Amino acid sequence: MHLDQNPFFRKAITPWYDSKPACWMVMGFMLIVFVFALAGMAVASKDPALNEDVWFPGTLAVLSFFLMVKIFFRMRRRSRND
């Protein structure tokens, strides 16, 4: 369903998955994933047998941090427009 980009008589309805509570829940979950990935990197870097597998928790940490930042800027932009 295509929403009108410039409604003159009402505000556009935000989908439930893009609402403030949903964004805060996703950011909280991504923070938990980020901390988990950092712990995984610490454990994998201490064990010489797992040194070659540090890339996986590192990638997980980078992606979860990127998603947190992206959602934060989306919420900031939306609050400035309201």
Side-chain angles (χ1 to χ4, degrees):
M1 181 172 143
H2 182 66
L3 294 176
D4 187 12
Q5 295 296 332
N6 194 6
F8 64 93
F9 61 93
R10 61 188 156 102
K11 285 178 59 174
I13 298 172
T14 305
W16 69 269
Y17 53 83
D18 201 22
S19 64
K20 279 188 180 183
C23 287
W24 281 113
M25 285 176 37
V26 169
M27 284 179 61
F29 181 71
M30 285 298 112
L31 180 64
I32 292 169
V33 170
F34 181 72
V35 171
F36 180 72
L38 290 180
M41 287 174 59
V43 169
S45 64
K46 287 181 183 175
D47 189 2
L50 298 175
N51 276 341
E52 62 187 26
D53 297 326
V54 175
W55 66 270
F56 186 76
T59 303
L60 189 62
V62 168
L63 291 175
S64 62
F65 183 75
F66 174 74
L67 190 58
M68 281 191 297
V69 170
K70 190 168 176 73
I71 291 174
F72 172 76
F73 282 123
R74 179 189 305 167
M75 290 175 59
R76 185 174 162 198
R77 181 183 36 159
R78 190 183 318 143
S79 68
R80 285 186 177 180
N81 290 339
D82 290 341

